[in-house]
Amino acid sequence: MIKGDKILNGKWILSGGKIYDPFKEKYIEGNILISDGKFEKIVNQNYKDKDVNIFDCEGKIITHPFIDLHAHFREPGREDKETIESGCLSALYGGYTTICLMPNTEPPVDTPELIKFIIDKSKEYPVDILPIGAITKGQSGKELTEIGLMVKEGALAISDDGIPVEDSRIMRYALEYSKMFGIPVINHAEDVFLRSGAVMNESIESTKLGLPGSPPITESIMVSRDLMINKYVKSRMHVPHISSKESVELVRKYRETSDEVTSEVTPHHIYFNDESLSTFNSNLKVAPPIRSEEHRKALIDGLADGTIDCIATDHAPHNIEEKESDFMHSSCGMIGLETAFSSSYTALSKEKFSIEKIISFFTLGPSKVMNIKKEFLSPGKQVEVVIIDLNKEWKVTTDDFKSKSRNSGFIGHKLKSKVTSTIYGKDCFINQ
Amino acid sequence: MLSNKHFISLKDTPKEDIMKLIETGLSFREVLERPVKKVPTLSGKNILNLFFENSTRTKMSFELAEKRLSADVTNFSASSSSLNKGETFRDTVQNIQVMKIDCIVMRHPSPGSSLQLTNFVDSIIVNGGDGCHEHPTQAMLDVMSLYEKFETFKNLKVAIIGDILHSRVALSNIYALKTLGVEVTLCGPPHLIPIGIQDLGVDINYNVDEVLEWADAINVLRIQRERMGIGLIPSVREYREVFGITSKRIENLKKEIVIMHPGPINRGVELDGDVADSDNSIILNQVLNGVAMRMSILYHLLSEGDTIND
């Protein structure tokens, strides 16, 4: 059971914050009045009621909580790393109330029954969990899953994330078949032959570290193939965790003539570059790898011009044993839900992105990509808001996480802005 | 005092440290020529040779160096496969930590493992080779051997020839040689020269004959047999034809050239046997200097202040 740090029984006013509706892209004047966890109305500054409690939001931004298109909770199979419950907690403290879950659990979510398992399991939590089904049975890349039945149970996309669909014929069938369900196909794009045993980006940095590197074209070769197939069969695809300049250029070019491709980038790919790996910090070992500054800049340009629609965490919990093994053998991935907004804000505010634009990468952007219907503050419905302090700076420590895992590359980094509270109905989650 | 507590990488090792180590190394070289080749310098210190990968020669060289400094030596060999069987690196080293070891010499197949070890234990760490990353003690014995031969690094031109990509010797050598102001050219199959390495201030030339004309000394790297048959090197005869340091190539040179090799040599592949055994070769000096240099490194890390001849 997940319970807020504070339960907002009765009437509450969120007082003093700037309210921003990211779906209508406008500010709302006044204060939010909540009654027993439901949004009642917007009231003006002078509103007085003796029964009302004050929730001080002075100097903060109040907006819709975030939507993550790409998270890995490890249930079923590796509950030692993350359960749906611990993942939801991690999400709530990071400002998220909607999470799309990747299917690479043990076993992978590749049947309607497993989609139902995820949905049933998460019903009681104050987070909307939206499962993504596997493209192929057992994520083996060989045979399509029961996509129609999974969609019927609630799958909102398909992906073999973690493993690329190598076989172009299967990729074609996946894109072509899923067309009739109106869902995007998300392929983890890496040419496995070109990647071979690589553990980081190939550049002068991999040369200096003596680590086998994966060239940036490892990704763009497969993105290029997928775009061509997508165009050929007129389907809908989404490029996850885009990491290279070449991939951004391909997606940009494709989007000149088609709306049928979208893309996401992770906070770590826009915050770090491969020079950050110089101390062999295995928490920065991720797939696709963190690339050089030139690529990081291209990702930021991609966000600026709309080639990249949104920021998605690729939250990938691993236990300390797997991460503390030597760099070659440590697992790929880092957790991200609790640092996503702050790290992205830190990286993007430097590049002159407006706060509204940054919020859109966490709200409007992902809702459009996955066609998730969201409304900010509808009267009589459960209130869902996130409260952000843009002026707060904080240093990430291992104690900061609600996730069961601690594999964050941001530990030790000083980040700008902090999600101070997330409210879902009566439950209020407060970051100290 | 050296500028760092550990000896892990030559990337940022200052010139003063390198020269100090060479000078001490040359003094130890004299000790090794004595009838009694032992000094009590590290008496009472314990050193662990922690080898996660087979390396008979490096291990022997370290062990001799340690014993000639009168240190107490313990050897621990673990196959790298035991690391894959779920035994974490941390478990292994924590066991060692509680035994209060003064210094650990580690050979490990994973780049960065020596640096990582410094996070887990308090001992002084010497990198005995970490995967394809660095092998700083080898590079130090290489520069010591060059200094012994040329007596200066001024205007010196050194070529490193072979599989640079999979070599831990190359990177450490490049760092040390560039710090010493030596000109360095790399020569080998293009796909075995790592991306961006020119940024370290080295030149690349794929023509081995041109490189031999240019260089005062060449460091010939071992071509590992396991690189063949996986598409990296087509065949021994092709490699020998294009990059092999053959007797014919050396005979055709109209000048002296110093031949080095970190060993073990594949005779007739990267280096012809008679070239390896010729007067041009300082390969056996390198082996002896290996012991002297490792004595020098351990002396500076573990016993600053005592004199060598005590």
Side-chain angles (χ1 to χ4, degrees):
Chain A
M1 202 45 214
I2 293 178
K3 283 190 89 167
D5 300 303
K6 199 168 178 174
I7 306 299
L8 306 183
N9 284 319
K11 289 200 175 200
W12 286 82
I13 270 199
L14 307 185
S15 166
K18 275 175 89 177
I19 308 166
Y20 181 68
D21 181 341
F23 304 111
K24 296 196 175 114
E25 297 180 82
K26 61 175 193 190
Y27 283 93
I28 300 168
E29 291 292 323
N31 289 327
I32 295 170
L33 177 65
I34 307 170
S35 180
D36 283 326
K38 296 197 169 74
F39 172 66
E40 201 169 309
K41 59 181 175 182
I42 296 290
V43 294
N44 71 27
Q45 314 287 350
N46 307 320
Y47 178 83
K48 286 247 163 34
D49 184 334
K50 64 178 172 46
D51 296 330
V52 82
N53 303 286
I54 303 289
F55 194 103
D56 183 18
C57 299
E58 196 60 49
K60 294 173 186 158
I61 287 202
I62 305 169
T63 188
H64 191 278
F66 311 140
I67 302 167
D68 189 16
L69 296 191
H70 192 141
H72 303 268
F73 294 171
R74 303 299 189 188
E75 188 174 352
R78 288 306 301 267
E79 290 82 353
D80 58 317
K81 296 180 177 183
E82 197 85 286
T83 58
I84 294 173
E85 182 168 309
S86 67
C88 285
L89 268 175
S90 184
L92 288 161
Y93 285 88
Y96 289 88
T97 55
T98 307
I99 304 285
C100 302
L101 279 191
M102 281 296 174
N104 61 335
T105 45
E106 295 172 24
V109 178
D110 61 355
T111 60
E113 288 78 11
L114 281 160
I115 293 286
K116 188 168 181 302
F117 166 82
I118 301 285
I119 287 175
D120 287 348
K121 188 93 195 185
S122 58
K123 256 182 193 148
E124 57 186 295
Y125 303 129
V127 175
D128 296 336
I129 295 292
L130 307 171
I132 295 169
I135 298 175
T136 61
K137 288 177 184 163
Q139 291 193 297
S140 63
K142 293 197 171 77
E143 211 183 323
L144 290 187
T145 52
E146 295 165 314
I147 298 166
L149 294 177
M150 290 198 299
V151 170
K152 204 175 158 197
E153 285 297 343
L156 84 166
I158 51 169
S159 178
D160 276 356
D161 190 66
I163 307 166
V165 177
E166 284 176 53
D167 186 327
S168 310
R169 183 183 59 102
I170 295 294
M171 190 59 192
R172 175 211 168 137
Y173 291 160
L175 281 161
E176 207 164 19
Y177 183 71
S178 61
K179 222 169 32 167
M180 62 179 163
F181 307 113
I183 56 160
V185 179
I186 306 169
N187 184 27
H188 179 121
E190 276 188 292
D191 181 316
V192 293
F193 299 105
L194 200 51
R195 182 185 66 191
S196 191
V199 296
M200 69 175 289
N201 182 49
E202 184 175 78
S203 72
I204 176 63
E205 297 307 316
S206 59
T207 295
K208 284 198 267 187
L209 298 177
L211 290 169
S214 172
I217 55 168
T218 301
E219 178 182 75
S220 53
I221 283 173
M222 195 171 270
V223 167
S224 172
R225 178 202 73 171
D226 292 348
L227 289 171
M228 283 184 179
I229 298 173
N230 195 60
K231 191 170 184 180
Y232 185 67
V233 301
K234 298 186 179 62
S235 188
R236 164 84 179 87
M237 66 176 263
H238 175 69
V239 183
H241 42 52
I242 194 165
S243 71
S244 79
K245 185 178 83 169
E246 292 81 3
S247 302
V248 173
E249 282 165 2
L250 285 164
V251 171
R252 181 178 291 129
K253 183 99 184 105
Y254 190 97
R255 290 184 81 148
E256 283 172 9
T257 56
S258 168
D259 297 330
E260 297 307 324
V261 61
T262 51
S263 66
E264 69 186 33
V265 67
T266 74
H268 47 268
H269 284 101
I270 56 170
Y271 183 94
F272 295 106
N273 63 31
D274 58 4
E275 291 169 39
S276 313
L277 277 81
S278 65
T279 56
F280 294 93
N281 179 357
S282 61
N283 283 335
L284 293 174
K285 182 178 171 186
V286 290
I290 290 165
R291 304 203 188 271
S292 63
E293 183 62 11
E294 178 192 11
H295 294 277
R296 192 187 73 87
K297 286 258 188 266
L299 297 173
I300 290 185
D301 291 346
L303 278 170
D305 73 4
T307 303
I308 301 172
D309 303 82
C310 62
I311 293 173
T313 63
D314 198 5
H315 178 85
H318 287 296
N319 57 29
I320 195 152
E321 289 75 20
E322 284 182 20
K323 274 298 190 185
E324 260 188 3
S325 134
D326 59 83
F327 198 94
M328 291 293 287
H329 292 104
S330 74
S331 307
C332 276
M334 74 164 90
I335 53 169
L337 284 165
E338 291 164 76
T339 49
F341 185 83
S342 301
S343 54
S344 302
Y345 181 81
T346 307
L348 296 179
S349 58
K350 245 187 269 177
E351 308 283 342
K352 310 274 180 271
F353 281 76
S354 68
I355 179 61
E356 297 81 15
K357 183 98 172 161
I358 297 172
I359 288 173
S360 80
F361 296 139
F362 289 84
T363 50
L364 181 64
S367 79
K368 277 186 177 169
V369 168
M370 288 292 191
N371 201 15
I372 302 166
K373 299 274 179 284
K374 286 282 172 185
E375 214 179 330
F376 184 50
L377 303 174
S378 9
K381 290 219 176 122
Q382 291 227 89
V383 71
E384 263 184 84
V385 297
V386 61
I387 301 164
I388 309 163
D389 185 348
L390 293 182
N391 299 315
K392 189 158 183 165
E393 286 203 345
W394 59 297
K395 194 174 172 186
V396 185
T397 70
T398 41
D399 306 329
D400 287 321
F401 300 105
K402 301 287 178 190
S403 166
K404 274 193 163 187
S405 295
R406 295 286 177 275
N407 55 310
S408 167
F410 292 101
I411 292 167
H413 284 254
K414 208 170 176 186
L415 302 180
K416 284 181 184 163
S417 81
K418 188 156 192 179
V419 167
T420 54
S421 312
T422 305
I423 301 172
Y424 189 104
K426 286 184 189 176
D427 287 297
C428 178
F429 302 87
I430 302 169
N431 272 313
Q432 296 309 321
Chain B
M1 283 292 279
L2 299 179
S3 54
N4 202 320
K5 176 189 168 189
H6 306 290
F7 201 74
I8 288 176
S9 162
L10 294 180
K11 183 163 168 268
D12 300 313
T13 304
K15 189 174 177 177
E16 299 70 52
D17 282 7
I18 296 177
M19 290 313 298
K20 198 191 284 182
L21 287 167
I22 291 175
E23 276 153 29
T24 314
L26 291 168
S27 310
F28 279 124
R29 187 52 205 272
E30 285 165 26
V31 173
L32 295 178
E33 309 285 353
R34 293 180 195 167
V36 177
K37 300 170 180 59
K38 194 162 175 165
V39 288
T41 321
L42 295 188
S43 172
K45 300 277 184 188
N46 49 60
I47 301 179
L48 173 70
N49 296 318
L50 182 56
F51 276 60
F52 288 97
E53 198 177 60
N54 283 335
S55 172
T56 320
R57 299 156 61 96
T58 303
K59 193 165 156 188
M60 192 170 78
S61 179
F62 268 112
E63 208 175 326
L64 270 174
E66 291 151 4
K67 286 180 171 165
R68 286 182 173 171
L69 291 168
S70 305
D72 296 324
V73 181
T74 309
N75 291 306
F76 178 102
S77 297
S79 66
S80 53
S81 63
S82 75
L83 294 176
N84 299 333
K85 283 179 198 150
E87 179 185 0
T88 68
F89 181 58
R90 187 179 195 150
D91 278 336
T92 312
V93 296
Q94 275 184 337
N95 276 298
I96 294 158
Q97 167 73 350
V98 294
M99 293 190 264
K100 305 281 179 221
I101 303 283
D102 294 308
C103 173
I104 299 173
V105 175
M106 186 167 79
R107 161 67 64 98
H108 194 283
S110 182
S113 47
S114 296
L115 185 64
Q116 198 183 11
L117 187 60
T118 63
N119 298 328
F120 298 149
V121 299
D122 300 326
S123 319
I124 291 168
I125 309 299
V126 176
N127 182 1
D130 59 334
C132 299
H133 182 219
E134 285 209 51
H135 194 357
T137 64
Q138 173 72 41
M140 283 305 305
L141 74 89
D142 290 342
V143 293
M144 175 179 165
S145 304
L146 282 169
Y147 191 73
E148 188 188 36
K149 180 81 188 173
F150 293 97
E151 294 175 342
T152 177
F153 291 109
K154 209 173 168 209
N155 300 323
L156 197 63
K157 293 172 180 163
V158 174
I160 304 173
I161 300 172
D163 177 0
I164 314 290
L165 181 66
H166 298 99
S167 170
R168 51 180 147 248
V169 178
L171 193 62
S172 289
N173 257 281
I174 291 167
Y175 286 139
L177 291 169
K178 292 311 294 178
T179 302
L180 294 165
V182 175
E183 281 188 68
V184 180
T185 292
L186 307 178
C187 177
H191 61 305
L192 296 179
I193 295 181
I195 293 278
I197 200 156
Q198 300 95 311
D199 290 6
L200 301 180
V202 299
D203 287 324
I204 294 171
N205 187 343
Y206 306 125
N207 185 322
V208 78
D209 293 303
E210 282 176 22
V211 168
L212 289 173
E213 281 296 338
W214 171 84
D216 300 312
I218 57 170
N219 198 344
V220 186
L221 303 179
R222 174 182 166 78
I223 284 299
Q224 289 172 331
R225 299 257 175 191
E226 55 266 33
R227 308 283 173 228
M228 293 180 202
I230 53 167
L232 284 176
I233 293 167
S235 70
V236 168
R237 66 175 183 177
E238 173 142 331
Y239 186 83
R240 187 168 184 271
E241 175 66 26
V242 185
F243 293 106
I245 307 303
T246 57
S247 325
K248 200 170 147 221
R249 281 202 160 103
I250 297 298
E251 276 161 23
N252 289 344
L253 272 183
K254 292 168 193 70
K255 59 159 203 173
E256 291 289 301
I257 192 160
V258 170
I259 313 285
M260 300 166 79
H261 192 295
I265 307 168
N266 286 309
R267 286 175 181 252
V269 185
E270 72 268 6
L271 187 61
D272 275 5
D274 47 2
V275 179
D277 299 334
S278 70
D279 292 344
N280 289 325
S281 163
I282 58 165
I283 294 170
L284 291 176
N285 282 7
Q286 286 177 273
V287 177
L288 187 58
N289 286 340
V291 178
M293 177 46 78
R294 287 175 177 121
M295 288 172 80
S296 167
I297 292 164
L298 292 168
Y299 163 77
H300 280 287
L301 291 173
L302 284 159
S303 171
E304 204 61 56
D306 302 342
T307 60
I308 296 169
N309 295 308
D310 279 351

